Amino acid sequence: MLTLLHVREAKMLDRRSFMATAATAGVLAPSGAAAFAASMQPAAMPATGLYDSNEDAYWAALRKQFLIPENVVNLNNGTVGSSPRPVLKAVFDSYELTEQMTQPASEDYPIWGYGPWVEFRKPFADFMGASVDQMAILRNCTEANSYVANGFDMKAGDEVLISDEEHGSGEQPWNLRAKRYGIIVKKFATPKAPKGPDEILNRINDAITPRTRIIFVSHISTATGVILPAKQIATLARSKGIISAFDGAHVPGMMAVNLNDIGCDLYTGSMHKWLFAPKGTGFLYLRNEDVMNRVWNTVATGGWDDPTRKADRYMQIGSSNIPTMMGLNASVAFAQSIGIDRIERRHRYLADYLHAAMVERGAQSWTSPDPAMRCAIATVNVPPVSRMELQDWLWKTQHIRVRGGEPSKLRLSTPYYLSKADIDRFLEQFDAFRKMKGIA
């Protein structure tokens, strides 16, 4: 099968011709075309040693790898990240090469979804502390969660235990299974804010019944940003003969993780948030063959029933996009060039700074007073501020993105390329909004 590892480097697209065509067709105004063409010019990576000599300058240099305009502050990386230039270049170059349809063998095509594609699975598996045999690359976390909920062997009356803070793509596949096949979806309440890991562990332990077959919870809560004690939850589940499964949509690229060290049975996630991979990248991790034998495929094509393929058999999903996979490899390489430990420290520093500033303004923390239980998401409750009114005002008038929940919850994400000045700008505008609304 075609890879881009042993072929000549593709020439860059003739973007002037592309932009002229696009502008003629009304796709982009001339000014927009020029801006796009300029944005795709290479940007230099930070100089060796800059981090040690001037950390602020280092992160400012990395900021230039992202196409986000300088006047935009993105505090909603928790929904979707922005792919940096090296990732976009890998995708564009791959399209230019693969769409020539000159693959060396007569059965080679620019698609994945049928073969093993170890060259795409292994870099990400290594990054996540897993082996290639444990890792299936899918299209998003929703798809991976659906594989778990639809495929895990259960019968009517069996229980899945989830938290009350699961994302819709984590909860709804189980609700579908319950409606169709009669399993029971049981929830435990997550404290707001948990003072320590034991508060969560105790609630899970108290909610387990003789019918509990699987515990399915987020590693990092999408609602509050709380980091759940995954390793302890997996140990608890194993001690009771229960399968442990985690929705890790926010983990890859946010903080260091070693899936095999956690000891969980199943783990899902997306790479388009904190790893800044192309949209349409997700994964399913399965710990060993015993677990794989308990999870049926949801999508099936040739190879789905061959146990020797291990996790690869869950990748047999039909025609999918090779350039997306090249972008995934580039996103892993980009993160490794910075260092995940360095990234995690930066995430925690920015989130702690923002969290403390909001608490000083009277906000109620819904993340955790324990800094170890948060990383790059700080969630606060700010009544009587209307979250949606604030969110729209910030974006439309100040070019600041935030996200939250009704009526007054703000979920604030802090990707590493932000500066303290970006956060201070948000804080100033938050204060200005409250003053405008007459809120003390």
Side-chain angles (χ1 to χ4, degrees):
M1 291 191 174
L2 173 68
T3 75
L4 298 188
L5 303 178
H6 302 98
V7 296
R8 61 178 174 80
E9 181 178 354
K11 293 185 293 183
M12 293 296 289
L13 292 170
D14 182 351
R15 291 190 173 85
R16 286 180 298 177
S17 298
F18 169 77
M19 291 302 165
T21 303
T24 301
V27 176
L28 293 170
S31 60
F36 182 84
S39 74
M40 290 315 301
Q41 297 305 309
M45 290 291 286
T48 302
L50 181 60
Y51 180 85
D52 295 325
S53 63
N54 189 334
E55 187 174 334
D56 287 341
Y58 174 86
W59 295 113
L62 275 177
R63 173 66 172 83
K64 296 177 182 178
Q65 297 294 334
F66 294 84
L67 273 59
I68 301 171
E70 291 184 4
N71 67 331
V72 171
V73 177
N74 180 26
L75 290 168
N76 188 27
N77 200 87
T79 293
V80 62
S82 172
S83 293
R85 286 183 171 88
V87 173
L88 297 174
K89 185 178 186 301
V91 173
F92 296 155
D93 287 358
S94 180
Y95 268 119
E96 185 179 21
L97 180 62
T98 58
E99 296 308 316
Q100 294 177 27
M101 301 301 288
T102 56
Q103 289 75 22
S106 63
E107 286 294 322
D108 284 355
Y109 304 102
I111 55 176
W112 69 277
Y114 296 98
W117 292 108
V118 172
E119 59 267 49
F120 299 139
R121 296 161 60 206
K122 190 176 189 311
F124 181 73
D126 290 345
F127 184 73
M128 296 293 289
S131 73
V132 69
D133 285 339
Q134 297 170 307
M135 186 66 66
I137 303 298
L138 299 172
R139 288 165 290 199
N140 51 56
C141 192
T142 303
E143 184 173 55
N145 288 341
S146 295
Y147 268 49
V148 175
N150 292 328
F152 180 63
D153 258 334
M154 299 176 77
K155 61 182 183 296
D158 286 348
E159 293 177 356
V160 55
L161 178 60
I162 69 174
S163 82
D164 62 351
E165 292 185 357
E166 298 309 311
H167 190 277
S169 69
E171 178 181 352
Q172 293 307 321
W174 293 108
N175 288 341
L176 184 155
R177 181 81 179 268
K179 187 172 183 178
R180 189 175 183 189
Y181 296 113
I183 71 160
I184 297 170
V185 180
K186 185 174 181 180
K187 293 184 181 181
F188 68 92
T190 306
K192 293 182 179 60
K195 296 180 179 63
D198 286 348
E199 280 195 75
I200 295 174
L201 282 169
N202 290 338
R203 294 195 183 199
I204 292 174
N205 186 63
D206 291 347
I208 291 172
T209 77
R211 291 188 172 187
T212 306
R213 298 292 177 263
I214 184 169
I215 298 171
F216 179 94
V217 293
S218 293
H219 190 172
I220 298 177
S221 168
T222 191
T224 63
V226 169
I227 302 174
L228 277 69
K231 189 170 185 176
Q232 296 95 315
I233 293 171
T235 300
L236 172 64
R238 190 174 305 108
S239 71
K240 296 179 178 293
I242 298 170
I243 290 289
S244 59
F246 292 91
D247 179 332
H250 287 281
V251 173
M254 182 195 285
M255 64 183 196
V257 65
N258 185 312
L259 296 181
N260 282 333
D261 180 65
I262 289 173
C264 60
D265 296 300
L266 297 157
Y267 198 103
T268 67
S270 294
M271 300 80 134
H272 70 263
K273 297 179 186 288
W274 300 93
L275 192 58
F276 305 129
K279 288 67 183 167
T281 48
F283 72 95
L284 169 63
Y285 161 93
L286 306 99
R287 184 165 61 93
N288 55 31
E289 292 182 54
D290 289 340
V291 175
M292 295 174 196
N293 290 336
R294 299 182 66 179
V295 180
W296 292 85
N297 279 60
T298 295
V299 177
T301 184
W304 71 268
D305 59 346
D306 181 356
T308 66
R309 299 185 73 158
K310 300 184 180 178
D312 169 54
R313 66 182 188 254
Y314 300 95
M315 287 180 58
Q316 306 315 301
I317 57 178
S319 303
S320 298
N321 192 359
I322 284 288
T324 299
M325 294 294 97
M326 291 304 299
L328 172 60
N329 276 6
S331 71
V332 172
F334 188 75
Q336 289 175 324
S337 73
I338 303 169
I340 190 61
D341 292 337
R342 184 178 290 179
I343 288 171
E344 181 176 338
R345 284 195 301 270
R346 177 69 172 182
H347 282 158
R348 291 182 182 276
Y349 167 75
L350 293 173
D352 288 351
Y353 177 75
L354 178 52
H355 180 265
M358 291 301 290
V359 171
E360 286 177 3
R361 285 163 167 76
Q364 178 188 6
S365 173
W366 277 6
T367 301
S368 177
D370 181 355
M373 295 186 72
R374 61 177 183 264
C375 186
I377 296 175
T379 296
V380 293
N381 197 36
V382 291
V385 172
S386 166
R387 184 274 297 196
M388 200 66 231
E389 187 179 3
L390 172 66
Q391 177 178 310
D392 285 344
W393 181 81
L394 284 172
W395 179 242
K396 292 177 181 178
T397 69
Q398 306 299 322
H399 307 300
I400 299 173
R401 282 196 183 274
V402 299
R403 186 77 188 276
E406 301 308 327
S408 302
K409 183 185 82 172
L410 298 181
R411 186 192 69 180
L412 305 170
S413 306
T414 55
Y416 60 73
Y417 58 75
L418 290 181
S419 66
K420 282 182 67 176
D422 291 327
I423 294 174
D424 288 340
R425 184 177 149 206
F426 159 75
L427 294 169
E428 290 168 3
Q429 295 308 318
F430 176 75
D431 292 342
F433 180 84
R434 290 198 303 175
K435 183 177 180 179
M436 180 177 67
K437 293 297 179 179
I439 300 171

